[in-house]
Amino acid sequence: MWTWLLRKIKRDKFRELKINSMRILLAHLDVSHKSDCKPLVCRIEKILNEFESAITIDVSDALELYKEPSELIDIAEKNDWLEQCLFIKKQLEFYHTGKF
């Protein structure tokens, strides 16, 4: 029983981390003044809504935001939050591989 409970807690924590990753991207886009991010904000809000309503979260849609040419990375670079953006990408790749 303890094993099941610990696995559930671990899954719940990773679920919250995935959801918070999208919230961080939205927060950065809200303060990005040097570019028009409205279409990108809509895509991220859609992904966030899917994450919040899903029992099991598939991060492949979120990883699509980083495919070349990536509008998200361009906006992050113009607004000086590229490091955080790449860190979130690395986290999403980590979740996608399932090596945790």
Side-chain angles (χ1 to χ4, degrees):
M1 180 170 149
W2 287 107
T3 306
W4 173 84
L5 182 60
L6 292 174
R7 284 187 190 151
K8 181 176 179 354
I9 291 170
K10 183 179 177 182
R11 273 194 314 268
D12 290 346
K13 287 187 186 270
F14 276 111
R15 183 178 188 284
E16 281 302 311
L17 287 171
K18 293 171 190 175
I19 291 171
N20 287 337
S21 296
M22 293 295 105
R23 287 183 182 148
I24 290 168
L25 289 177
L26 279 175
H28 279 299
L29 287 170
D30 283 343
V31 297
S32 296
H33 301 291
K34 299 177 184 172
S35 23
D36 178 33
C37 346
K38 193 158 189 113
L40 189 58
V41 167
C42 291
R43 284 179 59 196
I44 293 176
E45 284 176 343
K46 181 182 175 211
I47 293 169
L48 179 61
N49 288 337
E50 290 173 7
F51 279 13
E52 290 174 334
S53 64
I55 294 171
T56 305
I57 296 174
D58 180 19
V59 295
S60 57
D61 288 340
L63 286 173
E64 290 287 322
L65 297 169
Y66 290 97
K67 284 202 173 178
E68 293 294 327
S70 175
E71 182 182 358
L72 179 62
I73 291 177
D74 292 341
I75 291 171
E77 190 172 15
K78 290 177 188 172
N79 291 282
D80 300 323
W81 52 274
L82 181 62
E83 186 177 328
Q84 294 90 351
C85 183
L86 295 176
F87 179 76
I88 291 172
K89 177 185 177 188
K90 192 182 297 184
Q91 279 184 321
L92 292 171
E93 288 170 344
F94 179 71
Y95 302 142
H96 189 63
T97 60
K99 297 179 181 177
F100 48 82

